[in-house]
Amino acid sequence: MNIEQFYPLFLKSDKVTIDSRKVGKNDIFFAFSGDNFNAAIFAEKAADDGALAVIVEQKEFENKDKNIFYFPSTLEFLQQLAIHHRNQLKIPVIGLTGSNGKTTTKEIIHAVLSEQFNVQYTYGNLNNHIGVPLTILSIKAEHEMAVIEMGANHQKEIELLCTISQPDFGYITNFGKAHLEGFGGFEGVIKGKSELYDYLKSHHHTIVVNDNDSVQTEKTKNYTPKISFGKENSDYQFGLLSEDHFVGMEYQGTKAVSKLTGAYNFTNLCAAASLGLHFGISFEKIKHAVENYTPTNMRSQVVKKEERTLVLDTYNANPSSMTASLHNFATFEGRKTIIIGDMLELGEESEKEHQSILKLALELAFDQIITVGKYFKSVNPSALSFDNTAELIEYLKQNTIHSENILLKGSRGIALEKSIEFI
Ligand code: ATP
Ligand code: MG
């Protein structure tokens, strides 16, 4: 079985999945195998239940009569099929990467472009070597554009994801201190994320640039085609608005206030609005998209609970997003409690980075500082320093937080959101 032979079958399918529980009639199932698990054991059942085709990576599971096909690597086949599909698509594809804000920016770009076009986009956070091909394969004939989130935690990953998604437009949300371990320090982050620029430049495709980010401006100096925003001489300029902690933007006299908090979200909004304007969408429509987009994904979500304001940012954390979050929260009026969880995956930098976040928190003079996780504990010898979220919950059961404003932010692994109901 090769890709060209298989492609017509793919075109007839409803969707492609790697999850045996989600295979439906008329789907294509890619059975992955790992050290402890082999999804190929579900191949027969999927086929019997009506799957159009199944790809397995062990010869013994092949059964051509049932459209169960063998290929030495399921992953390779998935990626090659995605590349083949991408080659047939005649629609603009927008690729996004960066250390922080990819998902948020992707969602806002989708909201803005959907005002006028039928846009396919990355579902949730499916942004890796499997998620990107799956997203590409979910693009159907009716779609007019696509927005693809690309994540990476080591070099050459974005390069691969660009080969698969072949973006016509690309934007790097920021260069931050995330995944320092895998990238080899901050310089490594810049190099790794810039693989998107390298791809776009070699194809003469459009780069979206935030001129307030000196690295972005420097890396794209004298490059065309480019869509820039942020400075006086950029293509688009927006004014920053803040209403009751919600971030908004002003463009040529029209105001749009989002349901997002955090000044960093202004940048995310600007990137989306610039793309929208570039594609001929009026700012009136962009305003509609910005005002109606509601974050529900624990990324900079503001929740009113009785008399209190909770800022939920428990989806992830690293030094850059933690710093941005603390500065934003410091502007809230009234008493403020921060509950911050460890920032994982920082390797050798861990202790130093937790130390500096704690120092920043002290400088910003929050009324109460609660930390969760071993890294914070090692630098914060306070009674309000817990090893894990379970310990925090025990504390919350016995004690009340008196502040009107509470920020929760930590890495995914700390799962601070579990404590919300006890606050
Ligand atoms: P992941 O690597 O998990 O896919 P992501 O890049 O998709 O993360 P989001 O999930 O959109 O990022 O946002 C995570 C957090 O990053 C936000 O809740 C916020 O604290 C912070 N953040 C969002 N946008 C920016 C930005 N432009 N600059 C810095 N920090 C940001
Ligand atoms: Mg994401």
Side-chain angles (χ1 to χ4, degrees):
M1 174 60 56
N2 67 35
I3 300 290
E4 279 79 19
Q5 290 166 333
F6 190 79
Y7 193 62
L9 210 53
F10 160 74
L11 286 180
K12 277 194 264 168
S13 70
D14 289 342
K15 71 170 191 297
V16 170
T17 181
I18 62 164
D19 186 339
S20 64
R21 294 160 302 181
K22 295 198 179 134
V23 194
K25 262 196 169 44
N26 221 34
D27 287 349
I28 290 175
F29 173 40
F30 279 80
F32 278 75
S33 57
D35 294 340
N36 306 313
F37 184 74
N38 188 356
I41 56 172
F42 300 111
E44 287 278 333
K45 183 171 183 313
D48 292 340
D49 288 350
L52 208 55
V54 182
I55 302 293
V56 293
E57 52 193 352
Q58 288 90 13
K59 191 88 184 141
E60 65 267 30
F61 288 100
E62 186 171 50
N63 183 346
K64 287 180 181 159
D65 293 339
K66 291 192 173 183
N67 275 2
I68 302 174
F69 302 110
Y70 161 76
F71 194 80
S73 160
T74 305
L75 175 65
E76 184 107 337
F77 197 86
L78 179 76
Q79 294 178 340
Q80 291 303 324
L81 184 66
I83 291 172
H84 189 79
H85 185 49
R86 176 65 185 99
N87 286 335
Q88 324 300 315
L89 298 170
K90 302 279 180 285
I91 60 169
V93 171
I94 299 158
L96 288 177
T97 189
S99 306
N100 313 103
K102 297 180 290 297
T103 298
T104 313
T105 307
K106 170 209 68 179
E107 305 255 325
I108 308 168
I109 292 176
H110 170 258
V112 165
L113 298 179
S114 295
E115 289 287 320
Q116 205 153 306
F117 302 98
N118 186 347
V119 187
Q120 182 58 304
Y121 66 132
T122 301
Y123 180 72
N125 202 36
L126 289 175
N127 64 15
N128 66 7
H129 58 296
I130 297 172
V132 169
L134 284 174
T135 308
I136 292 293
L137 291 171
S138 73
I139 302 174
K140 304 280 183 196
E142 66 265 24
H143 291 125
E144 299 167 298
M145 281 186 189
V147 189
I148 312 289
E149 172 173 343
M150 297 186 275
N153 51 24
H154 55 80
Q155 306 294 338
K156 298 285 169 198
E157 216 171 347
I158 295 299
E159 184 179 287
L160 169 74
L161 300 180
C162 284
T163 309
I164 297 170
S165 61
Q166 303 169 29
D168 303 285
F169 294 79
Y171 176 57
I172 299 179
T173 55
N174 75 339
F175 300 96
K177 291 180 174 174
H179 302 295
L180 292 177
E181 217 166 0
F183 275 117
F186 187 54
E187 281 308 312
V189 171
I190 296 180
K191 186 163 175 284
K193 301 288 175 191
S194 296
E195 289 166 15
L196 175 60
Y197 290 158
D198 301 338
Y199 175 89
L200 294 164
K201 285 179 180 174
S202 65
H203 291 78
H204 305 288
H205 288 172
T206 308
I207 302 182
V208 180
V209 181
N210 167 15
D211 277 330
N212 282 314
D213 182 314
S214 54
V215 181
Q216 295 195 20
T217 313
E218 180 58 33
K219 289 235 162 215
T220 59
K221 203 163 71 188
N222 301 327
Y223 176 78
T224 52
K226 143 162 102 174
I227 301 171
S228 62
F229 66 88
K231 284 263 161 71
E232 232 162 74
N233 55 353
S234 310
D235 297 328
Y236 302 105
Q237 294 93 20
F238 306 93
L240 167 68
L241 302 177
S242 173
E243 274 181 26
D244 198 18
H245 304 300
F246 290 117
V247 171
M249 64 199 318
E250 179 167 355
Y251 180 70
Q252 297 181 347
T254 305
K255 292 176 178 176
V257 180
S258 75
K259 297 191 178 85
L260 294 157
T261 185
Y264 44 85
N265 277 313
F266 175 63
T267 311
N268 302 342
L269 290 173
C270 291
S274 300
L275 271 163
L277 291 167
H278 175 84
F279 283 109
I281 301 177
S282 69
F283 194 73
E284 272 308 315
K285 285 185 176 172
I286 294 173
K287 170 187 166 77
H288 180 259
V290 164
E291 298 195 332
N292 285 288
Y293 172 69
T294 312
T296 50
N297 46 17
M298 296 185 296
R299 294 166 172 93
S300 314
Q301 211 180 331
V302 181
V303 178
K304 297 270 179 201
K305 198 174 173 192
E306 284 136 36
E307 294 298 286
R308 293 184 300 190
T309 303
L310 261 57
V311 180
L312 308 181
D313 212 345
T314 61
Y315 180 75
N316 67 12
N318 50 54
S320 339
S321 72
M322 187 67 97
T323 304
S325 212
L326 293 184
H327 279 294
N328 176 54
F329 189 63
T331 66
F332 280 50
E333 257 162 58
R335 285 170 297 174
K336 292 175 271 289
T337 292
I338 60 167
I339 303 179
I340 51 177
D342 276 0
M343 304 170 291
L344 306 175
E345 282 190 73
L346 294 176
E348 287 173 5
E349 314 272 321
S350 287
E351 191 178 326
K352 192 177 111 235
E353 295 295 346
H354 285 82
Q355 191 97 56
S356 36
I357 290 296
L358 194 68
K359 186 163 163 275
L360 174 67
L362 292 166
E363 281 165 11
L364 292 172
F366 296 113
D367 298 278
Q368 191 180 30
I369 298 175
I370 300 177
T371 67
V372 182
K374 296 198 162 61
Y375 285 116
F376 270 129
K377 188 156 202 168
S378 72
V379 298
N380 181 27
S382 134
L384 290 181
S385 179
F386 303 104
D387 271 332
N388 49 49
T389 301
E391 274 187 23
L392 166 69
I393 291 173
E394 283 315 306
Y395 170 81
L396 292 172
K397 283 181 182 167
Q398 315 287 331
N399 300 275
T400 309
I401 294 179
H402 295 288
S403 298
E404 293 83 17
N405 303 290
I406 303 167
L407 168 75
L408 282 110
K409 178 154 183 85
S411 275
R412 192 82 295 275
I414 307 294
L416 280 180
E417 68 278 1
K418 290 188 182 143
S419 69
I420 296 169
E421 61 176 302
F422 301 98
I423 290 176

